[in-house]
């Protein structure tokens, strides 16, 4: 598709142009969409590429180059396995998103202080490309690839365009500072390989063989909403097979609401490992454990002999998991009775016993942990504790089970997708990685970040001492932020992070590519207006959580990008030319040619049923859907448990005691905010800063624990500015009636933590347990006189990396609430 020239555009759109480069009126901006081509209504397949785990296909109907309406998938007969992938309210609101008044239309340069929207100045693409190109090249030349970060950002799940294009550009220059983990699942992603030797878990389809779903903070019906997502699939099997389901959550989630055969238990945030320890005590002392599984397949339940061939010394009983639970271990001498657990987690002791009994009685319990439970100050240990629960009852590697500490995944029809960012014949790539969450430290003092203090990984061997410690030695000097709001809104401590980003002598260059004027966009030095999904040609895959139904969508468009928006691939290709790596980046091919080649090389080979060329695939006008029947390979660790062999853990078995973690507990530095156990080598319950049990005087009047769940009204902060969705789901802090002191439902209140204050409406409801409150994450940070009137939960959250993964503890907060 031809992109119109800047001159032509600026003449046509001068009426709509504003200094800030986005429409100033509050009306939708369909009027700035150019009239073009077909006066007849046409339909193009496109997709909703937000990060909910399912790239739902969309039928985009347009006329005169403007979207007139959006429909969702209506192909197939809608029987199971041939079902329609119907988009949720967010997917259906995409017309509003494209024409939203805050849509960015022109490249802009910050002429004042970072964060100040009023001092952006509109510039040409030519200026943007030449200035960014020379500054970025200069940073590579002066500080090296390790000083450049392509920031974590999950806004657009394209195959070819988007983040892949940006990473490809950086890879042409020698790569960039890497990060491990994601804001979603950093703790679980770090822990599960330590426990199981791999990312072991089961697909959601495996629940069909289960007789008991035991979900800890797993909320599939709100966070997997697609018509072919894990939520739909779970509910299908749950209803079909009448599977008893138990959900442990501090919030009565939509996964529970109005369903039969469900049991709910309210557990305080960050205390699941205590509840599980109480269950473990009951299981052990009543001989309800799977002895054979624990002794043959697991390591560290009781004492272990030395394993010299693996370099492991003997494990004395007092270091074992059972000793910890019975109160005769090295960590403490408290038996973890259900009464002990109840006082911490809030689930009554007899309910804890009854939960243990139900689990032991089930044939194939499917235990799963939502990611919210690991987005805690002790997240790693909630993961490990939930895994321990599965081990105790032998609910691993048997049809119908999961591995406990992990959220289910999807087979996605057996077709995965996604463009490789590998550059053929490119330079060697930087290997060093920090945790996804610790980039502010790397801006302020990356040089002194270390393996043992900050969890730095993959330094070169000569940078490490004999123990394996070493320094990063470089500060971040440039940030590329494509399709992310984690610079401010989705990271912790918005006010604190803003102060770090404002220091231009620290990070010298911030480039943001966006569709909307988000809180993070305001911190750009250069703000690049991107075309939206519906204005782009690409291939969309089914993303990562679309259940058993695989999907490939030929994304075509009859729309021109609004204003002077440009697709990222073209921007990166132009930057590559300026930086002297154009040949490596594009090899002389246009975007269209690259997409055609990508289709032939990567997509077409996925199935003989796919047409040979992109053109045929697009002209067919059909989605490619492929349902995969569930098989034993979808059951996590089925091979190890049923057929034997060794896992890639230190002991070769599933670990209830980890020597690798024990090494960390001995060598890693303890941050000054840690108040409980620091990196114990078994799945113990850890008392944390700002957890239920934190006795610190500075939070003595902040009695309420605060979480921020993922709401149906947004995907993170994406869609926040879409008014339809703000009307459909109301943002408010959920408070139990027992905690609503001095205010009533609907009042404006101040929610205050040590980091700052947020002004929001209160929703007084029994759906949140007493002592806990919930402000759904993703609302946009909007400071006014030192108070965030936008209602962003991250104004309240802390930048305190978790113990092992050094990750985001954003559901661990203590606050007070009072009438505004
Ligand atoms: N509608 C919608 N869907 C989404 C997203 C979205 O923003 N909106 N985001 C997508 C992404 S990227 C991700 S990573 C996933 C996120 O999925 P999750 O991380 O699993 O979602 P959360 O809402 O953070 O947490 C899930 C549930 O855990 C509960 N919870 C929080 N802390 C605790 C705890 O300590 N113990 C227990 N037992 N329960 C707890 C919350 O009340 C919530 O109901 O969702 C994806 N899907
Ligand atoms: N307190 C708290 N904070 C959290 C969480 C939590 O549970 N609690 N959850 C965390 C999790 S799980 C995640 S995954 C992160 C998510 O954090 P992010 O990855 O920052 O996700 P979004 O907030 O959705 O921001 C995506 C941005 O991409 C933009 N975008 C969308 N499409 C395009 C495109 O085609 N081009 C360009 N250039 N831009 C586009 C959108 O406008 C949006 O501003 O948040 C984390 N933050
Ligand atoms: Mo996420």
């Amino acid at each position: 598709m031809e992109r119109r020239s800047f001159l032509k555009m600026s003449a046509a759109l001068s009426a709509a142009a504003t200094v800030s480069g986005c429409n100033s009126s509050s009306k939708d901006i369909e009027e700035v969409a150019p009239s073009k081509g077909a006066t007849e209504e046409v339909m193009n397949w496109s997709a909703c590429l937000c990060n909910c785990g399912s790239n739902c296909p969309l039928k985009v109907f347009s006329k005169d180059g403007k979207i007139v309406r959006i429909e969702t998938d209506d192909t197939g007969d809608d029987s199971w396995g041939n079902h329609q992938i119907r988009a949720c309210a967010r997917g259906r609101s995409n017309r509003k998103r494209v024409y939203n008044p805050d849509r960015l239309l022109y490249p802009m340069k910050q002429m004042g202080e970072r964060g100040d929207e009023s001092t952006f100045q509109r510039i040409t693409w030519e200026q943007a490309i030449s200035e960014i190109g020379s500054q970025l090249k200069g940073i590579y030349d002066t500080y090296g690839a390790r000083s450049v970060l392509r920031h974590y950002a999950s806004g657009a799940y394209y195959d070819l365009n988007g983040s892949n294009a940006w990473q490809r550009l950086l890879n042409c220059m020698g790569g960039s500072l890497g990060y491990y983990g994601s804001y979603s699942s950093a703790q679980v992603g770090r822990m599960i390989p330590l426990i199981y030797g791999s990312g072991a878990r089961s697909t959601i389809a495996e629940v069909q063989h289960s007789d008991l779903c035991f979900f800890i903070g797993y909320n599939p019906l709100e966070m997997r909403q697609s018509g072919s997502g894990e939520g739909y699939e779970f509910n299908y099997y749950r209803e079909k097979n009448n599977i008893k389901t138990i959900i442990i959550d501090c919030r009565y989630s939509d996964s529970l609401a109005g369903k039969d055969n469900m049991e709910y238990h309210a557990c305080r945030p960050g205390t699941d490992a205590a509840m599980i320890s109480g269950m473990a005590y009951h299981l052990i002392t009543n001989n309800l454990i799977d002895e054979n599984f624990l002794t043959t397949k697991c390591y560290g339940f009781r004492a272990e002999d030395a394993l010299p061939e693996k370099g492991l010394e003997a494990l004395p009983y007092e270091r074992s998991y059972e000793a910890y639970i019975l109160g005769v271990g090295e960590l403490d001498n408290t038996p973890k009775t259900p009464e002990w657990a109840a006082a911490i987690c809030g689930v009554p002791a007899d309910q804890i016993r009854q939960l243990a009994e139900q689990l032991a009685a089930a044939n194939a319990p499917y235990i799963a942990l939502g990611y919210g439970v690991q987005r805690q100050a002790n997240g790693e240990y909630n993961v490990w504790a939930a895994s321990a629960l599965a081990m105790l009852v032998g609910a691993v590697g048997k049809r119908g089970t999961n591995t406990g500490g992990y959220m289910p995944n999807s087979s996605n029809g057996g077709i995965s997708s996604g463009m490789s960012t590998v550059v053929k014949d490119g330079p060697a790539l930087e290997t060093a990685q920090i945790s996804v969450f610790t980039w502010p430290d790397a801006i302020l003092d990356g040089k002194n970040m270390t393996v043992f203090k900050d969890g730095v990984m993959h330094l070169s061997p000569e940078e490490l001492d004999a123990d394996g410690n070493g320094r990063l030695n470089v500060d971040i000097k440039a940030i590329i932020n494509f399709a992310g709001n984690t610079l401010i809104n989705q990271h912790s401590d918005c006010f604190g992070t803003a102060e770090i980003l404002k220091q231009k002598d620290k990070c010298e260059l911030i480039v943001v590519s966006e569709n909307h004027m988000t809180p993070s966009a305001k911190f750009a030095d250069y703000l690049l207006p991107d075309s939206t999904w519906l204005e782009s040609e690409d291939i969309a895959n089914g993303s990562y959580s679309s259940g058993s139904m695989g999907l490939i969508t030929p994304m075509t468009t009859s729309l021109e990008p609004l204003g002077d928006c440009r697709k990222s691939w073209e921007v990166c290709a132009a930057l590559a030319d300026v930086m002297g790596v154009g040949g490596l980046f594009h090899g002389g091919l246009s975007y269209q040619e690259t997409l055609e080649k990508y289709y032939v090389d990567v997509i077409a080979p996925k199935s003989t049923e796919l047409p040979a060329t992109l053109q045929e695939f697009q002209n067919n006008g059909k989605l490619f859907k492929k349902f995969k029947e569930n098989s034993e390979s979808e059951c996590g660790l089925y091979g190890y448990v049923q057929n034997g062999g060794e896992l890639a853990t230190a002991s070769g078995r599933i670990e209830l005691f980890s020597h690798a973690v024990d090494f960390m507990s001995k060598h890693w530095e303890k941050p000054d905010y840690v108040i409980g156990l620091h990196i114990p080598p078994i799945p113990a319950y850890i008392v944390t800063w700002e957890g239920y049990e934190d006795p610190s005087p500075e939070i003595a009047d902040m009695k309420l624990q605060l979480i921020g769940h993922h709401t149906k009204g947004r995907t993170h902060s994406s869609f926040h500015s879409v008014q339809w969705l703000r009307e459909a789901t109301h943002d408010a802090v959920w408070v139990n009636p027992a905690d609503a002191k001095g205010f009533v439902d609907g009042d404006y209140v101040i929610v205050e933590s040590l980091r700052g204050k947020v002004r929001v409406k209160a929703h007084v409801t029994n759906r949140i347990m007493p002592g806990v409150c919930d402000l759904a994450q993703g609302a946009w940070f909007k400071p006014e006189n030192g108070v965030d009137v936008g209602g962003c939960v991250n104004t309240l959250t802390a930048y305190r990396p978790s113990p092992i993964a050094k990750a985001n503890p954003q559901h661990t907060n203590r606050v007070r609430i009072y009438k505004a």
Side-chain angles (χ1 to χ4, degrees):
M1 201 129 305
E2 287 287 291
R3 198 186 52 78
R4 277 147 299 115
S5 75
F6 170 73
L7 281 177
K8 198 165 139 208
M9 274 311 305
S10 52
L13 299 173
S14 55
T18 68
V19 175
S20 76
C22 68
N23 189 321
S24 62
S25 92
S26 61
K27 292 214 176 90
D28 287 357
I29 50 173
E30 279 145 282
E31 63 267 25
V32 305
S35 288
K36 184 210 113 179
T39 48
E40 294 294 300
E41 191 175 278
V42 288
M43 192 284 281
N44 293 78
W45 280 114
S46 190
C48 179
L49 299 185
C50 75
N51 175 21
C52 72
S54 297
N55 289 341
C56 290
L58 300 174
K59 292 174 97 168
V60 179
F61 292 86
S62 62
K63 204 176 158 196
D64 301 330
K66 291 175 191 135
I67 308 169
V68 288
R69 70 176 189 287
I70 286 175
E71 294 179 5
T72 68
D73 178 24
D74 56 0
T75 64
D77 63 8
D78 213 20
S79 59
W80 179 249
N82 195 15
H83 48 275
Q84 296 169 4
I85 305 175
R86 295 201 280 267
C88 76
R90 297 182 301 269
R92 291 165 199 233
S93 77
N94 264 294
R95 183 172 72 88
K96 287 286 178 187
R97 184 176 177 269
V98 171
Y99 298 130
N100 213 59
D102 70 346
R103 194 57 210 279
L104 297 175
L105 299 171
Y106 309 103
M108 286 183 286
K109 179 175 178 176
Q110 179 57 271
M111 306 305 285
E113 190 178 60
R114 283 181 186 155
D116 185 349
E117 186 183 343
S118 71
T119 46
F120 273 122
Q121 193 177 75
R122 180 176 163 183
I123 57 172
T124 63
W125 272 112
E126 290 68 19
Q127 184 184 349
I129 298 286
S130 95
E131 290 185 11
I132 295 170
S134 70
Q135 284 182 42
L136 192 55
K137 171 97 171 56
I139 287 170
Y140 268 99
D141 292 345
T142 312
Y143 305 105
R146 204 178 272 187
S147 73
V148 178
L149 178 76
R150 184 181 63 77
H151 195 35
Y152 172 88
S154 69
Y157 272 70
Y158 285 110
D159 259 27
L160 184 62
N161 194 15
S163 46
N164 288 323
W166 283 100
Q167 190 60 51
R168 188 177 168 78
L169 170 69
L170 303 188
N171 287 355
C172 292
M173 298 295 295
S176 54
L177 177 62
Y179 56 78
Y180 58 87
S182 70
Y183 277 78
S184 312
S185 57
Q187 284 96 324
V188 67
R190 185 79 171 85
M191 283 314 282
I192 291 287
L194 286 168
I195 304 166
Y196 293 108
S198 67
R201 57 170 150 173
S202 300
T203 65
I204 193 70
E206 204 55 26
V207 299
Q208 67 192 283
H209 310 293
S210 172
D211 55 345
L212 176 69
C213 286
F214 192 97
F215 292 166
I216 307 170
Y218 177 47
N219 182 19
L221 293 189
E222 264 169 300
M223 37 67 73
R224 301 290 187 227
Q225 282 199 285
S226 164
S228 173
E230 285 163 15
Y232 184 69
E233 189 150 339
F234 159 66
N235 213 40
Y236 172 78
Y237 287 122
R238 187 190 66 79
E239 285 190 1
K240 180 167 172 262
N241 299 350
N242 193 26
I243 308 167
K244 169 85 189 268
T245 301
I246 297 173
I247 299 189
I248 317 289
D249 198 314
C250 43
R251 211 172 58 88
Y252 188 84
S253 70
D254 283 13
S255 295
L256 286 145
K259 317 260 180 338
D260 296 332
N261 213 0
M262 284 256 181
E263 190 176 307
Y264 170 60
H265 299 270
C267 177
R268 294 191 179 102
T271 67
D272 299 83
M275 180 196 72
I276 290 166
S277 298
M279 291 173 69
Y281 184 91
H282 186 78
L283 290 169
I284 292 169
T285 54
N286 290 278
N287 206 16
L288 294 170
I289 52 175
D290 188 334
E291 280 279 349
N292 182 44
F293 188 83
L294 284 165
T295 46
T296 61
K297 295 292 172 189
C298 307
Y299 177 87
F301 177 63
R302 298 201 186 104
E304 297 283 354
D305 294 335
L307 298 171
E309 72 283 6
K310 298 186 187 302
L312 298 184
E313 62 204 34
L315 184 73
Y317 181 72
E318 61 270 20
R319 306 204 73 197
S320 72
Y321 181 67
E322 188 186 69
Y324 166 74
I325 295 297
L326 298 180
V328 294
E330 64 170 4
L331 295 180
D332 61 42
N333 41 30
T334 310
K336 309 302 175 302
T337 61
E339 280 71 18
W340 166 86
I344 297 167
C345 71
V347 181
D350 51 353
Q351 286 184 25
I352 293 177
R353 286 190 199 93
Q354 186 220 61
L355 286 170
E357 299 271 346
Q358 288 193 74
L359 209 55
N363 207 18
Y366 189 102
I367 305 174
L369 187 85
Y371 289 160
V373 190
Q374 53 93 64
R375 227 173 279 113
Q376 296 275 359
N378 52 9
E380 293 93 340
Y381 286 82
N382 299 327
V383 169
W384 206 354
S387 303
L389 194 58
M391 292 179 229
L392 287 164
V393 294
V396 179
K398 184 160 90 174
R399 294 310 302 272
T401 66
N402 184 28
T403 50
Y406 224 150
M407 201 136 96
N409 67 355
S410 288
S411 72
N412 290 354
I415 41 172
S416 59
S417 207
M419 166 86 166
S420 160
T421 52
V422 174
V423 182
K424 207 163 155 260
D425 305 322
L429 298 182
E430 173 59 47
T431 59
Q433 292 186 340
I434 57 173
S435 125
V436 67
F437 186 56
T438 58
W439 56 274
D441 281 334
I443 291 178
L444 291 178
D445 192 19
K447 285 193 186 69
N448 289 308
M449 287 175 81
T450 70
V451 178
F452 290 177
K453 178 163 69 70
D454 309 283
V456 173
M457 281 195 197
H458 306 305
L459 296 172
S460 58
E462 57 275 14
E463 290 175 296
L464 298 175
D465 66 19
D467 288 331
N469 199 9
R471 272 174 213 286
L472 187 62
N473 281 321
V474 171
D475 297 345
I476 289 176
K477 290 293 174 189
I479 293 180
I480 304 292
N481 187 70
F482 162 83
N485 204 354
T486 33
L487 277 181
I488 290 285
N489 214 78
Q490 297 304 107
H491 183 70
S492 293
D493 188 6
C494 298
F495 280 115
T497 316
E499 292 310 311
I500 295 172
L501 291 174
K502 278 179 192 164
Q503 301 174 40
K504 285 194 173 174
D505 58 325
K506 290 290 180 187
C507 181
E508 295 172 8
L509 176 66
I510 301 179
V511 179
V512 175
S513 164
E514 252 300 342
N515 300 137
H516 305 280
M517 185 58 88
T518 66
S520 295
K522 293 176 188 168
F523 282 79
D525 297 324
Y526 293 92
L527 183 47
L528 307 180
D530 201 7
S531 46
T532 58
W533 316 318
L534 273 51
E535 296 161 327
S536 303
E537 296 210 338
D538 207 318
I539 300 288
N541 59 66
S543 202
Y544 55 88
S545 288
S546 49
S548 302
M549 182 72 99
L551 170 71
I552 303 174
T553 304
M555 290 174 76
T556 63
T557 186
S558 300
L559 312 171
E560 292 278 352
L562 284 194
D564 207 18
C565 290
R566 264 192 206 185
K567 67 168 74 70
S568 281
W569 197 93
E570 284 176 354
V571 174
C572 292
L575 280 170
D577 285 336
V578 170
M579 292 166 77
V581 289
L584 267 181
F585 182 90
H586 50 66
L589 299 183
S590 67
Y591 177 72
Q592 187 60 33
E593 289 162 337
T594 311
L595 186 60
E596 282 166 17
K597 185 168 168 357
Y598 169 67
Y599 179 84
V600 171
D601 292 348
V602 180
I603 301 298
K606 285 178 187 295
S607 168
T608 49
E609 295 155 53
L610 278 160
T613 66
L614 178 66
Q615 213 177 15
E616 287 170 84
F617 187 40
Q618 290 181 341
N619 289 348
N620 268 349
K622 282 195 190 139
L623 300 175
F624 181 75
K625 287 158 78 171
K626 191 158 183 260
F627 184 82
K628 181 179 173 298
E629 293 297 338
N630 166 254
S631 69
E632 64 191 29
S633 65
E634 292 175 36
C635 174
L637 293 190
Y638 184 82
Y640 168 69
V641 172
Q642 302 300 329
N643 308 326
E646 289 211 342
L647 298 178
T649 55
S651 65
R653 290 182 253 149
I654 306 173
E655 304 213 324
L656 272 166
F657 179 100
S658 164
H659 289 278
V661 174
D662 197 35
F663 178 89
M664 293 174 196
S665 75
K666 289 184 178 126
H667 290 87
W668 282 27
E669 285 176 40
K670 180 170 161 178
D672 55 10
Y673 49 80
V674 167
I675 64 167
L677 295 169
H678 186 230
I679 321 191
I682 54 169
Y685 162 66
I686 297 182
V687 176
T688 74
W689 55 270
E690 296 197 23
Y692 174 64
E693 296 193 89
D694 184 352
S696 308
E698 65 268 28
I699 55 162
D701 66 342
M702 296 182 176
K703 300 252 186 279
L704 290 175
Q705 291 185 268
L706 169 78
I707 61 149
H709 84 282
H710 290 227
T711 161
K712 290 176 291 190
R714 288 182 288 271
T715 306
H716 313 295
S717 71
S718 292
F719 296 98
H720 180 69
S721 53
V722 174
Q723 212 47 43
W724 277 1
L725 294 168
R726 298 286 61 74
E727 287 166 21
T729 56
H730 292 187
D731 277 316
V733 60
W734 287 22
V735 189
N736 186 276
D739 298 314
K741 307 254 166 64
F743 59 88
V744 296
D745 187 61
D747 278 353
Y748 273 101
V749 292
I750 300 289
V751 188
E752 182 180 357
S753 78
L754 293 179
R755 271 70 57 192
K757 293 179 188 168
V758 163
R759 182 176 178 274
V760 277
K761 275 192 174 171
H763 177 47
V764 178
T765 169
N766 278 310
R767 286 185 64 174
I768 188 87
M769 73 185 288
V772 183
C773 58
D774 169 35
L775 180 59
Q777 62 114 21
W780 288 9
F781 176 64
K782 190 176 173 199
E784 270 178 20
N785 303 319
V787 177
D788 172 14
V789 298
C792 178
V793 70
N794 284 319
T795 297
L796 306 167
T797 59
Y799 176 56
R800 289 178 169 181
S802 67
I804 295 179
K806 300 295 177 194
N808 44 330
Q810 286 161 309
H811 289 332
T812 300
N813 310 281
R814 286 265 294 273
V815 299
R816 64 193 181 109
I817 303 185
Y818 48 93
K819 194 164 177 187

